Amino acid sequence: MIVDRQGRRFRNLRVSLTAACNYACTYCVPDGKRLVAAQDELSAEAMARGVAYLVEAAGIERVRVTGGEPLVSPKLETFLGSIATLGLDEISLTTNGQLLARKLPLLRAAGIRRLNVSLDTLDPDAFRRIARGGDLATVLDGMSQARACGMQIKVNMVPLRGQNFDQVLPLLEYCLAHGYELRFIELMRMGHLARDSNAFLQQFVSLEHLLQMIGEQYEYLQANAPVDATALRYQIPGQGYFGVIANESVPFCRTCSRLRLSSTGWLHGCLSSSNRHYIGDLLDKPRHQALPALQGLLVKALGDKQPVAFSGGATVMKIIGG
Ligand code: SAM
């Protein structure tokens, strides 16, 4: 097992199945242009082989499928079918929910029981302004159908000053009432926001500010979370839970166990580093040749992790998969 001096190792793999997305969220991408040509992306089979090799070489235990938008990818079914045979502790998926209702049978058949659905507002106008694609009612319907067939749902919201901060309490109330766990994600200095500090600072909402607003309406207690969890978790007694991924306010680099694989075959050991390591060429090689080379790249990827705090990164989330 590859472990660094801080005792960190890779346990959780995020796979960006495709960089293509049917949204163009303002904080994720500057515009809706395609960032990666389809022919430069790996096939479903190659990506699944990559996951299998990473399970062996790094000790990956859990995989989260993300993107881009994973549900728009024609590779989804083949990819999920292949990684379902790897004996992973868990396979989960992050989606914007636009195609969720339609893809539910496929997701259930692949053994997925936990979904993160990104939803930044319940106001249809603000939804269109932020996501620049999709339709709010379709997402809400998809979540409700997923819950009805037993899926556990976490809702991801990025609170943004001047855009959806007024939606923090309505969305929390909605999630508590529907049995979804709301996760607030502090805005991260990724992609264009890493270059434009003003745009970042104008929109950023801190953990403190968020909790102050929630505290005006709800009594909450801090709840326990696993050591390598990225989210701080809170309980509203008798009503449910919410979480905050406070990358800026309470950095969690010291316990980070995440590794990322892009749809074009690059490994990223840290969101906050521009280093990446190409494994696409290893995926055609037999196991005995691929694994030693992969181990060397994993040592480098682990070395890319920040010691303490996230400081931003030039990579666009849509490419690396959040
Ligand atoms: N299309 C899927 C979705 O919408 O959930 C998966 C990909 S999306 C890049 C994954 C997550 O990253 C979303 O919850 C999104 O809100 C979040 N995200 C993107 N850019 C971000 C940023 N600059 N700061 C914080 N979260 C960001």
Side-chain angles (χ1 to χ4, degrees), residues 3 43 48 54 57 78 81 84 99 114 122-123 129 131 134 194 198 206 238 257 260-261 271-272 285 290 297 304 309:
V3 183
S43 67
L54 288 168
T78 308
L99 301 174
R114 291 203 321 129
L122 290 171
D123 170 352
R129 273 199 308 276
N198 280 342
S206 69
S257 59
R260 291 175 166 85
L261 174 63
L271 274 186
S272 192
K285 296 199 191 318
L297 297 179
D304 294 337

Side-chain angles (χ1 to χ4, degrees), residues 27-28 66-69 94-96 118 156 158 186-188 317:
Y27 53 85
C28 182
T66 174
E69 172 49 42
T94 303
T95 173
N96 59 33
S118 301
N156 288 349
V158 181
E186 275 187 356
L187 184 64
M188 297 165 81
M317 284 291 230

